[in-house]
Amino acid sequence: MTDSKYFTTTKKGEIFELKAELNSDKKEKKKEAVKKVIASMTVGKDVSALFPDVVNCMQTDNLELKKLVYLYLMNYAKSQPDMAIMAVNTFVKDCEDPNPLIRALAVRTMGCIRVDKITEYLCEPLRKCLKDEDPYVRKTAAVCVAKLHDINAQLVEDQGFLDTLKDLISDSNPMVVANAVAALSEIAESHPNSNLLDLNPQSINKLLTALNECTEWGQIFILDCLANYTPRDDRESQSICERVTPRLSHANSAVVLSAVKVLMKFMEMLPKDLDYYGTLLKKLAPPLVTLLSAEPELQYVALRNINLIVQKRPEILKHEMKVFFVKYNDPIYVKLEKLDIMIRLASQANIAQVLAELKEYATEVDVDFVRKAVRAIGRCAIKVEQSAERCVSTLLDLIQTKVNYVVQEAIVVIKDIFRKYPNKYESVIATLCENLDSLDEPEARAAMIWIVGEYAERIDNADELLESFLEGFHDESTQVQLQLLTAIVKLFLKKPTETQELVQQVLSLATQDSDNPDLRDRGYIYWRLLSTDPVAAKEVVLAEKPLISEETDLIEPTLLEELICHIGTLASVYHKPPSAFVEGSRGVQHKRLPARAGSGESSESPDVGQPGGAVPDTPPAVIPSQGDLLGDLLNLDLAPPASSAPTVTPSMQMGAMDLLGGGLDSLLGGDIAGSPAMGAGLASAPAVMPASLGAPVSSGLDDLFDLGGGVGMPTGAFVVPKTVWLPAMKAKGLEISGTFARRAGVMQMEVSLTNKAMSVMTDFAIQFNRNSFGLAPAGPLQVLTPLSPNQTTEVSLPLSNVGPVMKMEPLNNLQVAVKNNIDVFYFSCQYPISTLFVEDGKMERQVFLATWKDIPNDNETQYQIKDCHLNSDAATTRLQSSNIFTIAKRTVEGQDMLYQSIKLTNGIWVLVELRVQTGSPTYMLSVKCRAPEVAQLVYQCYEMVLKN
Amino acid sequence: MIGGLFIYNHKGEVLISRVYRDDIGRNAVDAFRVNVIHARQQVRSPVTNIARTSFFHVKRANIWLAAVTKQNVNAAMVFEFLYKMCDVMTAYFGKISEENIKNNFVLIYELLDEILDFGYPQNSETGALKTFITQQGIKGQHQTKEEQSQITSQVTGQIGWRREGIKYRRNELFLDVLESVNLLMSPQGQVLSAHVSGRVVMKSYLSGMPECKFGMNDKIVIDKQGKGGTTDEAGKSSSGKQSIAIDDCTFHQCVRLSKFDSERSISFIPPDGEYELMRYRTTKDIILPFRVIPLVREVGRTKLEVKVVIKSNFKPSLLAQKIEVRIPTPLNTSGVQVICMKGKAKYKASENAIVWKIKRMAGMKESQISAEIELLPTNDKKKWARPPISMNFEVPFAPSGLKVRYLKVFESKLNYSDHDVIKWVRYIGRSGIYETRC
């Protein structure tokens, strides 16, 4: 018999004809007519007008006809609720039928009719069916409770169906148990706090027994339910695992994945040193690999899950790299996922194989796949340092193919490689620049611009290149505009003389002609920075960037934990929590992994959320997206390197100032005239900058100062921690950091020389420019052995004060030249004035009084030192160790007055009155000196000594 | 759980539409058609989320099967169910085609009602389903009470895949060990990856409820036995057969998994007729039946010389069949000249490949093909990707080395013993993805 003819009726008056046939006396004709109705319904025609006629056919012995009528009822009852009542009697009658198949059919269908009036009549038959002698009826009734709950939850609770359902968990028939578990799990999901499932060791035992006996689907329901249970201790956890592991050999992939979910979750509780833990890990790998020989759709689900498992427990699949190699005719979705996992599993041991594969993939046809393969090569370079060189040369080969999207993708990843290995592969820049014109995607353009800006000093025509981008500035995407702005500012700071016009142009484009707030804000910030304090600007914009981490695209640990609890489900396929794609209350509950036993038994223990040892101590940093405004602006990814911070104080200005002079003046002039907002901004600029830096810097700073205090202890004098004076970037790989100290009466410049270049450095020498206090090296720079790459050497250079004198601005500025076999480098640094305080600086009382009076009051400067919690005695001791001597102490009305004297190396005396109010953290400082210029420096010195 | 299930033809017309849950509206049917079947770009994932509704789809020939849900369902289960659904339909009416589906739509609705309840998959074993869902459909009223309860206990019971009271005059069983051997080889002849995925397919025509036990030369089992008996002979059974290391295996739901886990013995009550007893995977000591040695030389910009040698690597007494070597050619090929020593070779422009077919080839032989490929000059900058050379064949042995040691049948209630059962075992090794890069 062929039923397809029912699909072809498209005559007019069809409904009328069907009506007649439905009311025919002949059974066969009736059945034919109902079939036609169902066919019309399927293709979307509205046949609801036939409702009474179809329902009339319900009273029949013919099971097939009955089923067809039920099907019709389920579809249309909701639109015809009043007439649906007509069917109730038949349902109730069918629920009493001697044939269990018919009883089940009736209760199954009734639950699908979502009409309130019908549900009322459903309760009694359902109650009977839940206790039916036939398991087929019971298993159908169990699901029906869930259906009813979906329509009217209150009714289900009032009628006590939930308790009956719970009883069914102990049913003798495994399929009834499985369906009851499924129904209860679903109901429990919409009542997150109810203890519906009430899982306890006894009920778990029942479930585990049923697990061995029920159908593959039932096994899935039970395993998914088990995954919600939290065992009391590691022993229970282990015994459940033992009973679940046989499921890993099931032919049904869903059973396997659900078993994996239970194991992954309960494994959290097992102590890692347990033998069983290792056995379990080994058992997990083969079934996961076997999933990859399933049908492609299942492979996809499996791969998405493996991606999670690899992130959570990389050890499971670390030796299975080969199975993730892409096959030529894998569907694209399988290919892309495999590639993802390959990158995650890449390690030094297998990198050669992986790279060979990736190179193959990069020549395939599918654009997305090729792009991802190219990106993967870059990731390998970043992840496995030993392979970086090979990766870079592979990428260069790919660029030579000139295939547009390959080139662009390669440039994006090369940018990251530069970030990971600065000063190593810059030789390829020339090749990259050749492809400038072919770049049409924002990400590639932005990456290229970043490279040009970052290495502006190495690229002869950097200004031309950037200028060429500037022409179509407003047509670029925001990403490119922001990057272009930053790159040009960098260029300006590196080559100020030639690029003033360019920077002005870009700043005005960004601030005046753009509607994009991000761009405008960034433009203004640069503008202020450049006009207020070019030195700080340089420190900020050209600060050394922290290296990027090797792992990328990692899922955030708490989300990962949640997703592990959802293995096998849609959440694990989307890599999103259920709340992101499920409406309403269902499944919004966040799941968590259990805590490992031993890290505290009770669930109240604070580390519940973080299973001990499971989460790595320092969560790996992730490369932030391009949109990370502040980070990007400062050209830093995370907190800026603390080392550069201490020198950024508003009042400091280096000799570098004049090299910016002209450009700035013109900037300033034009700006104040042009925009009043800018003028206001300028006034507050010095305050703004440190504030914005403050937050991220402070913590690092504290650490450093702690360290400094520790180092300085032996002599007792306070030593400023080392700061970077000359970043490697500016000195062909030589990084110099240092500080000044006074040890045993000798001034010392303590420097660390670090070789960040690839070749050995030798022949170091140092020289100072003339300076305010005539500081000069008292001996040669003692670097005995050649400095090999990545090596650091510490040198103490004794200083004398007999060098040529020239007043510097600021007073304590020191210009230094350092030479090595590569080149001569210049930098300037500032020494704390305390270096110059001599040991015999204690004045006689009488002399002090006389001198104090002698110095004109105009020379007296007053300062406040806030937030200092030392009492006067402690302060005295601490200052003394820095050669600030207290001559007298007087107490007036609870206020301690300390009179102190300091002598500088060139014989200048500084007299100080320090007022300490008991209980108040603010000190008053009056400084009197014949050379009032030093007062400010003395104040800074007090600040540092007292607060550290 | 699954909220609805739709079947479409290649044009996107609905053939079957069954909604199980209230949250799935009629518009879901159209959403899938518009966004997936008629999508401008090929859909690149088997799971699609459209307006917070998730669609899972599989394709059989040009028929689309889609399961729909709004919840966080078990995705693996949904796909397994869709495959099962295809199996069930095939078992009832053969190939899944538009015509067959239209011809059997009433039956399909009946099946869908039975195997999916409120979106929860129920018993979907064809053996059991066929006892009460028949194409005649009228069986219902003629059944006796015993028959009815027998049906329900089978559908819900522990052995849902087999009914009671099966009788055969001749008790017979067939075991097919079907393996597909997969290889990826570098141009230099280095094995990049190789594995065998095998299946043991059983056709059983046995009376009653027979208890079966299956044994093969699994290394773990044989090592264990070796320890029990004479320890020196570990690794080799008494007949001197080599044992093999099985990486992983999965079983039909009739196999008692907990017993396999504890004793590694495979015991079960088989379904009646044909089914897949187990699947397995091996990666060690694989016999690669053929070795392909490619030589591709680019002569200038418009000519390519290809020489491919194949060597058979198995006992000379065995014959491989249906050998086919597929040598890809660039897209801008204008003409091909082929010379081969054995079989027939043809350039198929539509497939961009030279297809070389050999009907039969004995072991330890070698054969060769050489071709000259003329190319049209192009200004396409992109290099030819050089897809790998693939091969198809069939050999009468198991490349993994797997051997069936025994299949014992016990039926205590009926009076036939293991000796009375006629057993047939056959080994077939086929090429899976058997590729050599060139």
Side-chain angles (χ1 to χ4, degrees), chain A residues 4 42 67 114 134 136 147 179 186 217 249 251 253 286 290 297 322 332-333 366 368 568 570-571 574, chain B residues 15 21-22 44 54 72-73 75 80 83 103 109-110 114 117 120 122 124 152 192 248 250-251 281 437:
Chain A
S4 57
T42 299
K67 283 182 180 171
R114 304 175 60 90
D134 194 293
Y136 184 79
K147 292 180 188 170
N179 276 3
E186 180 169 341
W217 314 117
S249 309
S253 308
T290 297
E297 291 87 3
K322 274 187 179 178
I332 182 68
Y333 51 83
D366 189 285
D368 284 351
L570 264 181
Y574 292 146
Chain B
L15 303 177
R21 299 244 168 178
D22 204 38
R44 319 197 68 162
S54 300
N72 182 29
V73 295
E80 283 285 0
Y83 303 142
N103 280 339
Y109 276 124
E110 205 175 328
E114 185 58 45
D117 189 5
Y120 289 105
Q122 304 293 306
S124 48
T152 56
L192 296 175
D248 189 36
T250 58
F251 297 100
R281 184 166 48 83
R437 288 182 178 157

Side-chain angles (χ1 to χ4, degrees), chain A residues 474-499:
Chain A
H474 289 296
D475 303 327
E476 300 282 3
S477 72
T478 311
Q479 187 186 9
V480 180
Q481 289 175 330
L482 288 170
Q483 205 52 260
L484 195 52
L485 174 60
T486 305
I488 292 179
V489 171
K490 280 191 210 163
L491 174 70
F492 171 67
L493 291 171
K494 286 174 181 176
K495 300 180 177 176
T497 43
E498 309 127 59
T499 55

